[in-house]
Amino acid sequence: MQPRQGKATRRASEAAATVPEASAHSARGARTDSNESPAAPEAALPKAGKFGPARKSGSRQKKSPPDTQERSPVGATGARAKKAPQRAQDARPSDSTSAAGAEGLEPPAAREPALSRAGSRRQRGARCSPKPRPPPGPGDVPSPGLPVSVPILEQRDAAPGAKKLRAVLEKLKLSHQDISKAAKVVNGVVGHLLHRLKCESGFGGIERLHTGSYYEHVKISAPNEFDVMFKLEVPRIQLEEYSDTGAYYFVKFKRNPKENPLSQFLEDEILSASKMLSKFRKIIKEEINNIKDVQPDTDVIMKRKRQGSPAVTLLINKEISVDITLALELKTSWPTSTQDGLPVKNWLSAKVRQQLRLKPFYLVPKHAKEGNGFQEETWRLSFSHIEKEILSNHGKSKTCCENKEMKCCRKNCLKLMKYLLEQLKEKFKDKKHLDKFSSYHVKTAFFHLCADNPQDSQWDPKDLGLCFDNCVTYFLQCLRTEKLKNFFIPGFNLFSSNLIDTSSKEFLSKQIEYERNNEFPVFGEF
């Protein structure tokens, strides 16, 4: 298809996210979370006219070459040299086993070693150095090695900082009372806005989509940030890929009768993301002025637009931030760019992967980077509902974490990684080095790590210290190699130099390595 001509728009949209409709009942045992935009960041692309180079989603002329760099097994990266590594085979399930679906726990004799990093910092009874180690330079980040391990009992005793990590997790727990109070306020505002949107032309079929960290039960710190997604089904459309990104698309109608309520948002036969988002924002802005009449104790203001973000951000009672994102729901086959994504065959099974790919997918009004500005007519793929499904059913055994006998520490590791990034961003907020990093980067790396280490026994809660250490190691490897593939779109690199500059990745890598060497002082004292 020939590139569309015209000048590129330079405006940016609002913030992305997905938040929950919450209730005191549904909050039992749940955590709430602000889930950053679930889809990949915008790709920096050469300026190519108003609509840029585009192709139909089902007819990619050139497939991105497969990733030639193998991800080293967990425990390979970041190995310390002070302790001689012990080699161990990495047990992996066969294809026939992984495709079988639900499984029970393996017998104790068959348990695999927990995720481990070679050269644990200290042996049993060893003391920490009384003086903190200086922050390492970029060249000090450890390099990949062989997959190594030590017997499970030794690993548990040697697990660095496990007691402190459990204390951090206790601190991150949210009280049911706070959750219930915040959820009640958010649901009142969101429900009011949803009712108004249903009455507007073009938004009549809009519904709420329950996604985000609140429903994934990985919300940390405080119930003061929520993500809400409003979905709108749009049948009979055609996608045109933007500049071979695999993540950004133009939307056209296969047939566009005059009575189509979305015709008002067309721009040269393209469903304009900027026009639709602008109307969406305008309706919400008008309606929040009426909320006080219905909820006199609720004060709602709309925050300024954030460049390159698809969400409308509200501040409720000066303490609760809510990101509301419009999403188009497509009940068709997933785009070609996702064909080799979602690598969960050995983890959740081939059957589960097939079932997930039969679900709808979503497009959010996220603008692709175009030169020094943005292409405002593009929509970006979102699979936040699939992420929620994976985290809700995260075990290879289908009953993992559903009873006392079958527990894992996957979610706890994700919470700790999110908290580590959150604390570092707060610590260095004046430097702006970490502004482009989000919890979505952490979650994406975590998903890849789970896919590479699929057995529930590899995430034994008793091995929390080592499992978390391997999460840190893997994330450091992604930063150092500047490679973090989108979990659903393998051709889209979230750590591309076009999206995040090399110096920022080196800075974050250096700080994480410093934190690990010094038992994570950013977590505080316990």
Side-chain angles (χ1 to χ4, degrees):
M1 178 172 179
Q2 296 298 324
R4 297 179 177 275
Q5 300 299 322
K7 66 179 183 179
T9 50
R10 303 273 178 187
R11 301 192 312 274
S13 28
E14 272 93 46
T18 44
V19 153
E21 165 191 322
S23 67
H25 177 72
S26 65
R28 184 186 302 271
R31 313 282 186 264
T32 66
D33 186 13
S34 68
N35 192 27
E36 284 78 2
S37 176
E42 60 270 15
L45 301 163
K47 186 172 180 180
K50 181 173 183 179
F51 294 115
R55 287 205 300 247
K56 295 183 181 179
S57 97
S59 59
R60 292 163 62 93
Q61 297 175 3
K62 181 175 65 176
K63 188 173 182 180
S64 300
D67 191 348
T68 56
Q69 177 158 351
E70 292 290 330
R71 190 164 41 249
S72 63
V74 174
T77 326
R80 302 278 202 288
K82 293 185 178 180
K83 177 179 174 182
Q86 302 179 26
R87 301 187 60 179
Q89 294 299 323
D90 224 359
R92 293 295 173 92
S94 65
D95 293 339
S96 60
T97 302
S98 63
E103 296 179 9
L105 279 179
E106 294 116 356
R111 288 187 58 190
E112 297 190 6
L115 316 172
S116 66
R117 184 173 46 80
S120 180
R121 276 193 295 283
R122 62 177 185 267
Q123 297 291 340
R124 185 188 311 187
R127 297 181 178 273
C128 296
S129 172
K131 295 182 180 180
R133 303 177 189 177
D140 296 330
V141 180
S143 59
L146 293 173
V148 292
S149 179
V150 292
I152 281 182
L153 293 178
E154 288 187 19
Q155 290 177 345
R156 289 172 183 165
D157 290 341
K163 184 177 180 180
K164 180 175 183 176
L165 296 180
R166 290 189 174 90
V168 173
L169 290 169
E170 276 298 314
K171 184 178 75 171
L172 296 181
K173 284 185 178 179
L174 308 179
S175 75
H176 297 315
Q177 183 178 359
D178 290 343
I179 294 171
S180 178
K181 181 180 177 181
K184 183 178 180 181
V185 173
V186 172
N187 286 337
V189 172
V190 170
H192 190 94
L193 296 176
L194 187 63
H195 178 75
R196 166 65 189 278
L197 284 163
K198 286 177 176 287
C199 300
E200 294 289 333
S201 173
F203 299 98
I206 203 164
E207 297 289 347
R208 192 177 330 193
L209 180 65
H210 295 166
T211 62
S213 298
Y214 177 88
Y215 285 100
E216 295 167 351
H217 294 183
V218 289
K219 178 72 177 78
I220 59 174
S221 302
N224 58 0
E225 293 182 354
F226 292 83
D227 302 304
V228 176
M229 184 177 280
F230 286 163
K231 64 177 182 178
L232 184 66
E233 184 179 352
V234 282
R236 298 187 300 277
I237 67 169
Q238 174 181 310
L239 297 183
E240 297 180 357
E241 185 179 355
Y242 173 77
S243 193
D244 205 24
T245 60
Y248 294 91
Y249 291 84
F250 297 117
V251 176
K252 295 180 66 176
F253 290 101
K254 292 181 179 179
R255 295 189 300 276
N256 186 34
K258 292 182 179 179
E259 60 272 17
N260 185 346
L262 297 180
S263 295
Q264 60 184 301
F265 304 121
L266 292 180
E267 180 77 22
D268 295 336
E269 298 185 346
I270 295 292
L271 182 62
S272 170
S274 59
K275 281 187 176 181
M276 201 163 178
L277 181 58
S278 178
K279 179 68 177 292
F280 182 72
R281 184 181 178 87
K282 181 180 178 182
I283 295 171
I284 292 177
K285 186 175 183 179
E286 291 174 351
E287 193 56 27
I288 61 176
N289 296 324
N290 300 326
I291 290 180
K292 279 191 176 181
D293 297 335
V294 182
Q295 304 176 45
D297 295 333
T298 304
D299 177 54
V300 185
I301 61 174
M302 179 181 289
K303 299 182 74 172
R304 295 181 62 181
K305 292 181 179 180
R306 288 181 288 177
Q307 188 177 30
S309 176
V312 176
T313 304
L314 306 179
L315 185 63
I316 303 177
N317 295 337
K318 299 180 180 180
E319 60 180 5
I320 302 176
S321 177
V322 181
D323 281 349
I324 303 177
T325 304
L326 173 67
L328 306 182
E329 182 179 61
L330 280 69
K331 295 182 177 180
T332 61
S333 298
W334 291 13
T336 308
S337 61
T338 68
Q339 188 64 43
D340 297 324
L342 193 58
V344 297
K345 289 183 179 180
N346 291 337
W347 171 22
L348 304 178
S349 83
K351 181 179 179 180
V352 168
R353 182 180 185 274
Q354 182 181 23
Q355 291 171 343
L356 292 175
R357 286 182 58 84
L358 292 176
K359 293 180 179 292
F361 67 95
Y362 295 89
L363 293 168
V364 296
K366 175 79 172 178
H367 307 328
K369 190 80 178 294
E370 188 173 81
N372 295 324
F374 292 90
Q375 169 48 261
E376 294 199 343
E377 311 312 323
T378 55
W379 299 78
R380 187 194 60 195
L381 293 178
S382 170
F383 297 96
S384 57
H385 59 308
I386 305 297
E387 294 165 10
K388 171 196 169 185
E389 183 106 1
I390 292 175
L391 284 173
S392 298
N393 303 279
H394 55 263
K396 186 171 183 64
S397 166
K398 304 310 174 187
T399 55
C400 182
C401 291
E402 291 184 6
N403 56 59
K404 293 182 179 179
E405 289 74 30
M406 304 175 67
K407 296 287 186 180
C408 78
C409 63
R410 288 181 178 93
K411 283 189 176 182
N412 281 340
C413 285
L414 177 56
K415 290 178 189 177
L416 289 168
M417 287 299 297
K418 289 176 64 175
Y419 187 58
L420 174 60
L421 179 61
E422 179 184 282
Q423 291 297 95
L424 287 175
K425 291 187 70 171
E426 177 63 24
K427 181 178 179 179
F428 298 103
K429 60 184 177 182
D430 296 335
K431 293 182 178 295
K432 307 297 181 183
H433 286 84
L434 307 183
D435 287 354
K436 292 184 179 180
F437 294 99
S438 73
S439 65
Y440 188 70
H441 293 119
V442 168
K443 184 161 67 170
T444 298
F446 171 76
F447 281 150
H448 282 298
L449 199 60
C450 288
D452 285 349
N453 298 270
Q455 303 299 329
D456 298 337
S457 59
Q458 293 175 296
W459 299 87
D460 193 309
K462 296 184 180 67
D463 301 317
L464 174 64
L466 286 164
C467 291
F468 173 64
D469 197 56
N470 279 287
C471 289
V472 172
T473 295
Y474 182 75
F475 195 67
L476 282 171
Q477 176 187 336
C478 294
L479 288 168
R480 186 179 65 255
T481 60
E482 299 190 73
K483 180 174 289 188
L484 177 60
K485 295 187 292 185
N486 184 288
F487 197 64
F488 301 89
I489 314 167
F492 193 81
N493 181 14
L494 300 179
F495 278 172
S496 164
S497 58
N498 292 329
L499 299 176
I500 304 179
D501 59 278
T502 299
S503 61
S504 293
K505 290 188 282 271
E506 289 177 346
F507 181 84
L508 179 56
S509 174
K510 178 180 178 180
Q511 297 307 323
I512 291 177
E513 186 68 16
Y514 171 78
E515 291 294 324
R516 182 168 69 173
N517 288 340
N518 293 280
E519 301 294 339
F520 301 98
V522 75
F523 284 165
E525 295 297 328
F526 292 91

